[in-house]
Amino acid sequence: MEQNRTADPARHQFQGRAGNRFSGGDQAPGKLPPQALELEEAVLGALMLEKDALSAVADILKPESFYKEANQRVFRAIINLFAESEPIDLLTVTSRLRSSGELALVGGPGYVTELTTKVHSAANIEAHARIISQAAIKRELIRVSSDILRDAYEDTTDVFQLLDRTEQALFQVSESNIRKNYVDMRSLMNITINELEAKKNQPDGLTGVPSGFSALDHLTSGWQPSELIILAARPGMGKTAFVLSTMRNAAVDYKKGVAIFSLEMSAVQLMNRLISAEAEIEGEKIKKGTLAPHEWQQLHSRINNLANAPIFIDDTPALSVLELRAKCRRLKAQHDIQMVIVDYLQLMTADTGGKGGGNREQEIAIISRSLKGLAKELNVPVIALSQLSRAVETRGGDKKPQLSDLRESGSIEQDADMVIFLYRPEYYGFSQDEAGNSLLGVGEVIVAKNRAGSLDNVSLRFIGRYTKFADLDSFYEAGAPASGERSFPASDSIGNFESSASMSTFRSKANDIGDFDLNNPNGDAPF
């Protein structure tokens, strides 16, 4: 054993642990950990001299912020007295330490009395507290660094797990020590009025990231910052096609940076869909590369805007919420992304710290809560796609989805600021509505929950051959009805098929998923 210690002194150095996390057990030989003992004593003395002093430092200091263990115990006694609305002075603190059996551990009544002689007033207590807090942060960083160094020397350490733990530990240090302060009403009123004036000058009343769909933007005023939007539908409804369309509109037309994390499709597959929609060339031809000469010219002439768009695609499979948060933070810092898209929520994994045993519903709860936290942290809208349960298929009627259909829904519905369902009637064999209007090529966006606005349904046009959505009256091919009429060429709905009304089986060229029957819609299509 002695031979091993000599051969690897660095590893031996960081294997020792002191009982107190801030006691200096992780320090390099000959160096004292960052500390401010005199200020610690001055702060504790000021807290026992002036009754209102604690209010100035309660959100800055915690017991672990103090380097000396005796000072941690004294501060904890002060906090407990404050929590019980008891007076805080030399006598009450001494009494509390005595009743908890800690008076002898801190050095007796003499040490507590001595603290009150270190300071004459609490005038500078907040400045002193911040210096103590900064020293504590430095000690915590030393501890984290020591753990990293120790684990990095271990041959059995998984390097990618170590990277995840490192980023998580550093983030926790920052998150636990940097707290948002309160804002008084006058300052908050000025901020709010300034935002209202800025919104007044926004085109079309948009206050968030535009979706590019006129009726939907009129309802939502765009995807709002810090909101979690859940987009849910059964397979085959066009979830990915919808988010790709809104992503393209935001990035190309409005120059908003967008990050999309695709856990289901590869980056190349997403690019094929984007190119098909942008160049308006059938997805099957893009997939096989069987483009006519004029289509090659059409492709190259139309994809320049797409190539220069601020879109960032990550197709890491089984992405964890920790990895997602880390990547989004970097993208926000480097490229100022304005929207995050996750396709889709049920394929993500939760960070359980290596502790198993949780059921899938609990894991989904962790994921949805983390996505909401990410939206607030970065102040951007987060759109997460979600699957619906098969309960939709077993119902009669028009089979429109509802909130209870959300798969593993407990916390998804609760955490979401907005829940949107996609519904295409023709998928279930409905070709006309009650008024006799054609439903071919029509996709409904059902806003089922909207924390900051009203609920409504918005009709869009689904162009199956290009796997994209557009405003209802904005896309017409040769031979299509005049603007304002609610009938569409059958070739634009789900794919290329004959226009005979008796046809119920057809092929989706955009996804090459094979033939399926409208009367048996349970077959999952990779939309």
Side-chain angles (χ1 to χ4, degrees):
M1 180 64 69
E2 289 299 321
Q3 183 178 3
N4 291 339
R5 291 181 181 178
T6 305
D8 194 356
R11 180 185 298 184
H12 171 65
Q13 173 186 339
F14 292 102
Q15 281 178 339
R17 280 283 188 254
N20 187 342
R21 64 189 297 192
F22 297 130
S23 62
D26 295 328
Q27 305 302 320
K31 289 188 176 182
L32 287 174
Q35 55 186 282
L37 289 179
E38 291 183 355
L39 293 180
E40 289 183 10
E41 294 172 352
V43 166
L44 293 174
L47 291 175
M48 289 185 284
L49 288 176
E50 298 191 17
K51 63 177 182 179
D52 296 327
L54 184 59
S55 301
V57 300
D59 60 340
I60 301 174
L61 296 177
K62 46 187 180 288
E64 294 79 11
S65 301
F66 293 83
Y67 174 71
K68 191 174 180 178
E69 185 174 351
N71 293 340
Q72 293 183 19
R73 295 178 185 274
V74 173
F75 185 74
R76 190 175 292 111
I78 292 173
I79 290 294
N80 291 338
L81 288 169
F82 180 78
E84 297 171 8
S85 300
E86 296 289 340
I88 300 171
D89 56 35
L90 173 61
L91 296 178
T92 56
V93 172
T94 302
S95 176
R96 176 54 60 98
L97 289 170
R98 183 181 289 111
S99 64
S100 63
E102 296 180 291
L103 185 58
L105 296 176
V106 304
Y111 180 75
V112 182
T113 303
E114 185 180 351
L115 291 174
T116 60
T117 66
K118 301 292 184 178
V119 67
H120 298 292
S121 74
N124 300 315
I125 189 172
E126 186 173 350
H128 296 165
R130 294 195 184 280
I131 295 174
I132 296 171
S133 178
Q134 290 169 13
I137 294 173
K138 290 180 180 178
R139 294 197 300 272
E140 185 73 355
L141 289 173
I142 291 171
R143 183 190 67 81
V144 171
S145 302
S146 300
D147 290 342
I148 296 168
L149 182 59
R150 181 199 63 205
D151 294 340
Y153 271 104
E154 295 292 341
D155 296 334
T156 57
T157 298
D158 184 289
V159 65
F160 298 107
Q161 291 182 0
L162 179 59
L163 285 172
D164 285 344
R165 290 200 303 271
T166 300
E167 192 160 29
Q168 184 178 24
L170 291 174
F171 177 74
Q172 287 175 346
V173 172
S174 173
E175 190 176 39
S176 61
N177 289 282
I178 300 176
R179 299 173 183 269
K180 186 176 180 181
N181 204 355
Y182 65 87
V183 182
D184 62 82
M185 281 299 293
R186 181 170 295 277
S187 300
L188 192 58
M189 184 66 71
N190 291 336
I191 294 172
T192 305
I193 295 300
N194 290 337
E195 287 187 356
L196 286 175
E197 290 177 350
K199 291 176 180 178
K200 178 185 67 175
N201 299 323
Q202 292 292 330
D204 302 322
L206 293 175
T207 59
V209 178
S211 70
F213 306 123
S214 302
L216 184 59
D217 283 337
H218 180 73
L219 176 64
T220 64
S221 297
W223 310 120
Q224 297 299 312
S226 78
E227 288 194 349
L228 173 60
I229 299 104
I230 297 296
L231 175 67
R234 286 293 295 156
M237 289 295 118
K239 295 188 297 296
T240 302
F242 178 85
V243 293
L244 288 182
S245 296
T246 192
M247 177 184 72
R248 179 265 170 210
N249 295 340
V252 174
D253 295 339
Y254 295 91
K255 310 303 179 186
K256 304 287 187 181
V258 183
I260 179 169
F261 295 86
S262 176
L263 288 79
E264 184 178 35
M265 300 177 65
S266 70
V268 173
Q269 287 176 311
L270 290 181
M271 278 306 303
N272 284 340
R273 284 198 172 199
L274 285 168
I275 291 172
S276 172
E278 188 71 14
E280 295 182 354
I281 298 174
E282 294 178 15
E284 182 73 5
K285 292 185 177 181
I286 297 290
K287 178 181 177 181
K288 295 182 177 179
T290 56
L291 276 66
H294 75 278
E295 289 175 324
W296 280 109
Q297 183 177 0
Q298 178 178 330
L299 184 149
H300 286 292
S301 66
R302 293 191 180 186
I303 63 173
N304 285 335
N305 289 337
L306 190 61
N308 297 321
I311 296 174
F312 306 91
I313 300 176
D314 188 310
D315 60 358
T316 303
L319 188 69
S320 71
V321 290
L322 174 62
E323 292 173 314
L324 174 70
R325 188 169 56 197
K327 291 180 177 183
C328 287
R329 267 193 249 112
R330 287 194 289 269
L331 284 168
K332 181 66 175 178
Q334 296 172 7
H335 303 286
D336 192 28
I337 57 171
Q338 300 297 308
M339 184 165 68
V340 174
I341 298 171
V342 179
D343 184 10
Y344 58 90
L345 187 149
Q346 278 82 8
L347 291 180
M348 292 189 69
T349 59
D351 299 298
T352 57
K355 299 177 183 177
N359 59 37
R360 183 57 180 165
E361 185 174 351
Q362 292 173 337
E363 192 173 9
I364 291 296
I366 294 173
I367 293 171
S368 64
R369 191 161 54 247
S370 299
L371 292 177
K372 174 58 182 175
L374 176 65
K376 291 187 66 177
E377 177 189 344
L378 300 185
N379 195 34
V380 300
V382 174
I383 301 178
L385 277 62
S386 177
Q387 295 284 17
L388 290 178
S389 69
R390 290 184 178 271
V392 177
E393 316 293 353
T394 60
R395 280 201 303 268
D398 56 13
K399 301 185 185 297
K400 284 189 176 182
Q402 52 196 27
L403 289 173
S404 60
D405 296 326
L406 281 169
R407 182 179 292 180
E408 296 138 338
S409 66
S411 60
I412 297 179
E413 178 184 345
Q414 175 181 329
D415 294 330
D417 296 283
M418 185 181 296
V419 177
I420 294 176
F421 295 125
L422 282 184
Y423 171 72
R424 291 194 294 111
E426 64 179 324
Y427 184 85
Y428 296 107
F430 301 106
S431 59
Q432 290 184 335
D433 62 16
E434 295 178 354
N437 297 317
S438 175
L439 294 176
L440 297 178
V442 175
E444 285 189 37
V445 178
I446 303 171
V447 181
K449 177 184 178 181
N450 188 2
R451 212 167 255 163
S454 58
L455 308 181
D456 205 349
N457 295 0
V458 174
S459 295
L460 297 177
R461 184 82 181 281
F462 177 67
I463 305 107
R465 60 171 62 185
Y466 307 142
T467 57
K468 75 174 185 178
F469 283 82
D471 281 330
L472 194 61
D473 299 325
S474 67
F475 187 93
Y476 290 95
E477 293 183 315
S483 177
E485 297 182 19
R486 287 288 304 275
S487 62
F488 308 104
S491 61
D492 283 335
S493 56
I494 304 180
N496 287 338
F497 56 93
E498 297 179 13
S499 59
S500 170
S502 62
M503 291 291 291
S504 62
T505 303
F506 47 88
R507 184 173 182 78
S508 169
K509 290 199 168 187
N511 293 282
D512 195 27
I513 59 174
D515 294 342
F516 61 94
D517 194 336
L518 286 174
N519 297 319
N520 183 24
N522 292 332
D524 290 357
F527 288 111

